[in-house]
Amino acid sequence: MSASLPRVSASVAMPKGSLQQVFDNLRAAGYTLVGPTVRDSAIVLDEIDGLDDLPQGWTDEQQPAHYRLKKAPDNQYFSYGVGPHSWKQFLHPSRLRLFSVEKNNGSWTIRPSQEPPPRYAFIGVRACDVAAIGIQDRVLIGSEFRDPHYAARREQVFVLAVNCSHSGATCFCASMKTGPKVTGGFDLALTELPDIFLVEIGSEAGAEVLGDVPWEAATAFDLGRASRVIQRAERQDGRHMLTDDLPDVLYENLESPQWDEVATRCLSCANCTLVCPTCFCTTVEDVSNLRATSAERIRVADSCFNRDFSHVHGGNSRPTIRSRYRQWLTHKLASWIDQFGTSGCVGCGRCITWCPVGIEITEEVNAIRAKGGK
Amino acid sequence: MSTAFLTSEVRKPIDPMLPHLATIQDVKPTAVGISMFSLVFADPEERANYRFQAGQFNMLYLPGAGEVAISLSSDPGQPEVLGHTIRDAGSVTRAIGRLKAGDVIGVRGPYGSAWPLNKTRGSNLVIVAGGIGLAPLRPVILSILRQRSAYGQVVLLYGARTPADLLYTDEFDQWRQGGIDVQVTVDLGEESWRGLVGVVPQLFYRIRIDHKKTAVMACGPEIMMRFVIYEALARRIPKDRIYISMERNMKCAVGFCGHCQFGPTFICKQGPVLNFAAIEPFFGKEDF
Ligand SMILES: Cc1cc2nc3c(=O)[nH]c(=O)nc-3n(C[C@H](O)[C@H](O)[C@H](O)COP(=O)(O)OP(=O)(O)OC[C@H]3O[C@@H](n4cnc5c(N)ncnc54)[C@H](O)[C@@H]3O)c2cc1C
Ligand code: SF4
Ligand code: SF4
Ligand code: FES
């Protein structure tokens, strides 16, 4: 045991029960904890109090259009993959008031939203989702215009990441080079072993949170066991995507017959964009009171699968499911790279699991590659 | 935690979605269902600092109604008064159309790319507009008139559906006197119409162009721009000297909402004015 704090980039071993102490320290430091918990037969992200709220002993079975919770063979805290929620619901809320307006004597007073956002500690962030947060950073605060609502939430976040020990049948993080090991963008990163958590320190804030928590320097044995856990997860990745010829293979096949084919299956329900941790699109709702003396602008999540998304007066630039699916896939895997210098897909597999008809992004790219058709 | 994008600048609570207040100074009916609004910022500092370039646009906002992208159609040399030519096209533009002098409107901008007025100095210009598409090109014409000798031959090819849909007709004589060849056509003539009848791209047949020294700037319905590009290429004008202004649904104008995407471009940031050579792989693709 050590009284001093571990240094950044060190790895330490911590008794499993001490994670509660880490939670308590975070709460004492003013953080609101959000993490995985079981609700409505799925592992969702919500505010949590302690270890008891974590899905201990649960795992998930994921396949295209299929998600089922089941008892895990072990009694670990993190033996499952990502669920339908992602951290964007906290950083880039699906409903947010931009400002309100009061009208008085012919003029207006504009009041920006000023509720201070919660200071979140994200518990159990997987490697793909750490990468997804980095991607939304580029979109929302990485250019000349910055979204102050995102920035205010983002800059206060504490990230307690978890290396995956169990990779799902719809995962392809290894193909997208985002996981299963977390390689940056965290304050603390856990690897769960049967007896201990191996904790990698990612920042000063991470080291401080360990405070009075009992820890020991990690041994070679612990480090070896942890890396085998992660290797196993990597081997388990159930899907793969060839990325060498992206974006070209999509740009060169904008008229492929495969777009027509997938349009016969796609319902244009927008589930994939809703669950995707990087999709950022929004629209604005304007509401006013009955006497029209005050009004609000509310930003709400939107999707390129919604028909109104590309409405222009007297027409629609993407009136067909074919054109909307093509926008989604080419944005994720091609134009995103031109826009932000990174793919828009981290390989989390959510869009595959939560597609009601089981369309697989990995298979669609393969089909376009195979069919061509320009 | 630290990342490359969490700089101290982020901490500035400036929301690019917040409008500034402006007062409507004047409303002038300009064509059927189209009026020209002159706006002045309420805040003297904003009024003094605001600058725009020909081709850029503002987001205009009315509480409870919504916000729309509208090009600046006045002279960039006089940025203290903002001219917007607005067509009643739906719910928000209709609500704006009901405003009178003295009313307040929300404005944020300017956004987007500009017509290449510097890059094309010394060359001939073919300016092509269809309908309301002349609005974002009027600042080009007004800028050229102020420094006419900086450009070679300048032609405006303009068309609208009917004579009553033509914008700025009361200014055409002045533009001609200033040295711009103004050619006008309508799709559907009427008895009193003495001008040409036919679609805009046909006007190319009325002009002589030296393709080596000519640039094209076009704005109008996409189908019109497709034919304009066809005619320009047929006259061996290089692809990278053809500029078009494009339109897509816009909800933010700052790259956040995703609505205006056209392949890799955000029309609100890299556009609306785009170089044809840069977007050729995507332009004209069905429902793109
Ligand atoms: C860069 C740019 C410059 C423009 N310049 C002008 C101009 O100078 N004069 C002019 O009259 N019109 C211009 N338009 C078109 C104008 O924005 C639309 O006519 C207007 O948004 C229609 O809104 P509405 O609420 O009246 O119509 P509705 O059909 O009720 O539209 C509902 C909403 O959809 C969106 N929308 C609808 N049509 C368009 C569109 N064509 N482009 C972008 N968003 C749209 C808007 O958010 C709008 O509020 C421009 C558009 C763009 C993109
Ligand atoms: S596109 Fe699918 S696999 Fe890729 S990040 Fe989004 S939800 Fe995950
Ligand atoms: S895929 Fe669609 S919803 Fe997702 S970011 Fe791109 S345009 Fe927006
Ligand atoms: S208008 Fe919102 S991203 Fe361009």
Side-chain angles (χ1 to χ4, degrees):
Chain A
M1 308 262 156
S2 171
S4 62
L5 294 178
R7 63 189 166 75
V8 173
S9 87
S11 285
V12 302
M14 174 179 88
K16 283 208 179 173
S18 299
L19 188 55
Q20 181 63 50
Q21 218 167 322
V22 173
F23 289 179
D24 294 341
N25 291 350
L26 283 167
R27 204 169 301 105
Y31 287 103
T32 300
L33 271 56
V34 286
T37 192
V38 173
R39 200 197 319 134
D40 299 334
S41 321
I43 293 170
V44 299
L45 300 176
D46 205 347
E47 288 191 21
I48 56 169
D49 288 327
L51 284 180
D52 291 350
D53 293 325
L54 294 178
Q56 189 182 11
W58 288 100
T59 190
D60 52 19
E61 185 181 277
Q62 302 200 30
Q63 287 293 342
H66 174 87
Y67 179 97
R68 201 165 62 90
L69 278 190
K70 50 183 196 187
K71 280 286 172 195
D74 50 45
N75 203 32
Q76 302 210 143
Y77 289 103
F78 297 103
S79 285
Y80 40 86
V82 295
H85 288 176
S86 76
W87 308 95
K88 81 173 175 185
Q89 70 200 58
F90 303 100
L91 294 174
H92 188 43
S94 60
R95 205 173 168 82
L96 178 120
R97 193 175 67 188
L98 293 171
F99 59 84
S100 61
V101 182
E102 301 287 336
K103 292 200 211 172
N104 33 33
N105 313 324
S107 192
W108 320 337
T109 311
I110 296 179
R111 291 204 181 79
S113 279
Q114 256 154 5
E115 307 126 46
R119 202 166 165 218
Y120 288 121
F122 290 169
I123 307 300
V125 187
R126 305 311 176 102
C128 57
D129 281 350
V130 172
I133 293 171
I135 289 172
Q136 286 215 325
D137 286 352
R138 289 183 188 231
V139 175
L140 297 168
I141 53 176
S143 78
E144 72 268 36
F145 297 110
R146 291 153 186 276
D147 173 5
H149 309 283
Y150 181 86
R153 287 163 174 74
R154 176 68 177 95
E155 63 189 359
Q156 308 189 59
V157 159
F158 185 97
V159 174
L160 192 152
V162 170
N163 290 316
C164 283
S165 57
H166 158 110
S167 169
T170 56
C171 296
F172 54 105
C173 57
S175 298
M176 303 315 285
K177 301 183 180 62
T178 60
K181 184 171 166 50
V182 190
T183 52
F186 60 87
D187 295 291
L188 292 175
L190 308 182
T191 310
E192 186 167 16
L193 297 173
D195 49 336
I196 54 162
F197 282 120
L198 189 80
V199 188
E200 191 181 339
I201 318 297
S203 71
E204 297 290 347
E208 272 163 39
V209 157
L210 285 186
D212 52 348
V213 175
W215 59 270
E216 284 170 18
T219 62
F221 176 60
D222 296 336
L223 292 170
R225 289 192 296 158
S227 78
R228 279 201 307 284
V229 161
I230 298 164
Q231 272 169 8
R232 188 183 62 208
E234 184 162 345
R235 279 198 308 276
Q236 280 175 353
D237 255 9
R239 294 278 182 291
H240 300 278
M241 189 189 296
L242 188 67
T243 57
D244 300 356
D245 56 357
L246 296 172
D248 287 352
V249 74
L250 294 177
Y251 283 159
E252 284 162 11
N253 290 295
L254 294 174
E255 310 282 17
S256 170
Q258 184 60 23
W259 303 117
D260 299 292
E261 198 285 322
V262 68
T264 64
R265 289 174 283 137
C266 174
L267 309 175
S268 203
C269 69
N271 262 17
C272 51
T273 58
L274 194 75
V275 294
C276 179
T278 67
C279 273
F280 58 86
C281 288
T282 53
T283 185
V284 186
E285 284 175 12
D286 290 279
V287 289
S288 52
N289 66 0
L290 281 176
R291 287 174 302 132
T293 51
S294 72
E296 291 186 340
R297 299 214 85 199
I298 300 173
R299 186 176 77 188
V300 293
D302 202 356
S303 165
C304 58
F305 279 104
N306 291 334
R307 206 174 183 287
D308 277 353
F309 189 83
S310 35
H311 159 88
V312 284
H313 66 91
N316 185 324
S317 27
R318 292 187 210 107
T320 59
I321 294 183
R322 168 187 182 269
S323 58
R324 297 201 282 277
Y325 188 87
R326 180 177 62 185
Q327 165 60 22
W328 177 73
L329 194 72
T330 54
H331 190 213
K332 297 268 87 162
L333 299 175
S335 41
W336 208 298
I337 298 172
D338 293 320
Q339 293 166 349
F340 303 109
T342 166
S343 174
C345 175
V346 297
C348 72
R350 286 181 176 93
C351 57
I352 301 175
T353 302
W354 298 96
C355 174
V357 296
I359 296 173
E360 302 175 48
I361 185 170
T362 45
E363 283 311 303
E364 292 309 315
V365 179
N366 285 339
I368 283 168
R369 189 179 283 124
K371 256 187 212 171
K374 298 287 156 186
Chain B
M1 52 174 290
S2 67
T3 90
F5 305 118
L6 297 176
T7 63
S8 57
E9 255 178 273
V10 178
R11 285 161 213 275
K12 276 194 231 155
I14 299 168
D15 187 344
M17 292 292 283
L18 284 179
H20 296 276
L21 299 190
T23 308
I24 297 176
Q25 218 179 33
D26 181 44
V27 184
K28 195 176 128 202
T30 307
V32 175
I34 304 179
S35 296
M36 173 94 152
F37 292 76
S38 302
L39 316 177
V40 177
F41 282 112
D43 175 10
E45 201 180 322
E46 185 66 19
R47 200 183 313 155
N49 294 333
Y50 187 95
R51 298 281 181 282
F52 71 93
Q53 293 173 280
Q56 290 191 298
F57 66 96
N58 278 325
M59 294 298 280
L60 302 186
Y61 166 68
L62 274 189
E67 201 179 37
V68 287
I70 303 289
S71 306
L72 284 137
S73 54
S74 51
D75 187 349
Q78 292 170 4
E80 55 291 339
V81 180
L82 314 178
H84 284 295
T85 309
I86 307 175
R87 171 175 55 170
D88 174 348
S91 53
V92 182
T93 49
R94 185 158 311 144
I96 293 175
R98 282 196 285 262
L99 300 178
K100 308 171 300 297
D103 286 342
V104 176
I105 189 167
V107 180
R108 57 188 180 94
Y111 296 118
S113 59
W115 298 107
L117 275 169
N118 281 329
K119 233 195 231 172
T120 57
R121 281 175 97 83
S123 45
N124 302 323
L125 298 179
V126 183
I127 301 165
V128 194
I132 188 99
L134 186 54
L137 283 161
R138 184 169 176 262
V140 169
I141 293 165
L142 300 179
S143 301
I144 292 170
L145 288 176
R146 268 191 287 107
Q147 36 175 340
R148 181 63 190 86
S149 57
Y151 301 88
Q153 192 190 347
V154 180
V155 199
L156 168 65
L157 309 182
Y158 180 45
R161 226 170 61 80
T162 74
D165 297 314
L166 290 167
L167 293 180
Y168 318 127
T169 44
D170 54 340
E171 299 177 40
F172 290 174
D173 282 343
Q174 207 184 323
W175 297 357
R176 287 186 177 114
Q177 279 155 24
I180 294 176
D181 178 5
V182 181
Q183 302 272 350
V184 182
T185 182
V186 295
D187 298 348
L188 305 166
E190 50 196 45
E191 257 173 68
S192 61
W193 177 249
R194 290 174 200 289
L196 299 167
V197 176
V199 296
V200 182
Q202 286 174 342
L203 292 175
F204 266 91
Y205 293 89
R206 300 178 58 85
I207 56 172
R208 294 261 159 278
I209 322 178
D210 172 2
H211 68 267
K212 285 203 265 325
K213 294 194 316 190
T214 298
V216 175
M217 302 184 192
C219 183
E222 235 162 274
I223 180 79
M224 179 208 91
M225 295 201 286
R226 246 187 271 178
F227 285 106
V228 166
I229 289 164
Y230 177 86
E231 296 295 346
L233 294 177
R235 283 160 183 77
R236 290 189 289 144
I237 295 174
K239 286 174 186 171
D240 65 356
R241 307 217 77 200
I242 302 173
Y243 296 85
I244 61 174
S245 180
M246 286 191 60
E247 199 176 271
R248 282 292 179 272
N249 186 298
M250 287 192 182
K251 290 293 174 190
C252 75
V254 290
F256 295 163
C257 79
H259 282 250
C260 70
Q261 288 177 79
F262 178 66
T265 48
F266 285 94
I267 301 280
C268 68
K269 288 170 76 174
Q270 290 88 31
V273 176
L274 295 161
N275 185 296
F276 175 62
I279 57 160
E280 189 186 7
F282 309 102
F283 189 74
K285 286 271 186 283
E286 191 189 356
D287 299 337
F288 193 69

